[in-house]
Amino acid sequence: MERSTFLLSACAIPFRAALLSTAVTLFFVAAALAAFPPETQTKPLAPTPVAAPSAAAPPASGPPDTGRPAQPPAPREAASVDAIVQSLYDSVSHPPNQEPDWSRLRAIFLPSGRLIPPRRSTGELAFLSPDDFIARVSKGIASRRDQDGKDQGFSEREVSRKTDCYGNICQVFSTYEGRYTPGDPAPFVRGINAIQLVKEGNRWWIVNVLWDQETPERPIPPEYMGKR
């Protein structure tokens, strides 16, 4: 009996120690919690408010931004193929004893453009810049005026046209008649101007003009004498 009592007492000692240790731990935890104010203790996180979708911005007024600089308005004489071909004829025509309006010729030709007259009797071809062509024609006008005191003038007009275009380039076969004055009953010369054009931005430029004159041995073909 005494032995059983001793065993029970021996087993109870560790159990009491465990209870004492747990009680001490709970005491310190309670003291630590009491040291913090209630508002600093952990609280459930409130849901983050979601902003309502904003209304779409109204489209900007005006033309869309293409990323390219705005093009200046095209000169009237270079706004279309029709306009630049007509300007070419106007820029070389002139009344008696007056020079053509060379500013128009310069305005429609690329600075590197060329005017190529018919082959000379020697077989040579001349490749003239706009300024070279202006100098040659001006010299001829002055020479005729000095010889007999009168330059007869020159009026060139288009009578037919065949045009082929692709993208920004055009090839124009323009049949012309030349008179001394617009009122002359019949032309003294006919031929074909081969005009190469290129479009840059919203305007056209003349790149080259080659021409040849009609002769009795080489009449203008019927397909180049039709309507424009």
Side-chain angles (χ1 to χ4, degrees):
M1 182 66 178
E2 290 180 359
R3 181 178 179 83
S4 299
T5 302
F6 174 76
L7 289 175
L8 289 174
S9 299
C11 292
I13 291 173
F15 177 73
R16 291 192 188 99
L19 286 178
L20 180 60
S21 176
T22 300
V24 171
T25 300
L26 291 175
F27 172 79
F28 281 108
V29 169
L33 291 175
F36 292 94
E39 58 271 15
T40 63
Q41 296 179 15
T42 305
K43 295 181 179 179
L45 294 176
T48 303
V50 179
S54 58
S61 60
D65 183 8
T66 62
R68 298 179 180 177
Q71 291 287 334
R76 178 176 53 85
E77 63 269 16
S80 66
V81 172
D82 285 343
I84 201 167
V85 171
Q86 183 60 52
S87 294
L88 174 64
Y89 284 104
D90 292 343
S91 69
V92 298
S93 300
H94 61 94
N97 294 318
Q98 295 184 28
E99 291 202 14
D101 183 358
W102 295 128
S103 64
R104 298 190 71 176
L105 186 77
R106 291 188 175 100
I108 58 179
F109 267 84
L110 284 174
S112 58
R114 290 292 181 265
L115 297 97
I116 307 170
R119 188 185 299 273
R120 297 180 177 180
S121 58
T122 58
E124 297 177 350
L125 281 173
F127 296 84
L128 307 176
S129 70
D131 285 337
D132 292 337
F133 177 78
I134 290 170
R136 174 181 285 198
V137 174
S138 297
K139 182 179 179 179
I141 293 173
S143 176
R144 290 188 293 273
R145 191 166 50 225
D146 292 342
Q147 286 178 0
D148 54 18
K150 183 179 180 181
D151 170 67
Q152 293 179 295
F154 180 65
S155 175
E156 188 175 66
R157 72 183 186 94
E158 184 182 45
V159 296
S160 182
R161 185 191 305 174
K162 183 178 184 298
T163 305
D164 292 310
C165 295
Y166 173 74
N168 292 317
I169 59 175
C170 282
Q171 163 68 47
V172 179
F173 261 41
S174 177
T175 305
Y176 67 85
E177 292 180 344
R179 292 172 169 81
Y180 295 112
T181 65
D184 290 350
F188 70 89
V189 65
R190 295 198 312 182
I192 293 179
N193 288 317
I195 309 167
Q196 284 81 49
L197 304 173
V198 65
K199 189 175 185 182
E200 180 186 33
N202 59 357
R203 66 155 295 163
W204 289 90
W205 291 100
I206 296 178
V207 181
N208 293 308
V209 177
L210 306 87
W211 66 95
D212 207 353
Q213 295 177 355
E214 183 182 43
T215 66
E217 299 78 25
R218 193 175 59 245
I220 295 175
E223 60 265 30
Y224 296 111
M225 290 299 297
K227 296 181 180 180
R228 288 177 49 183

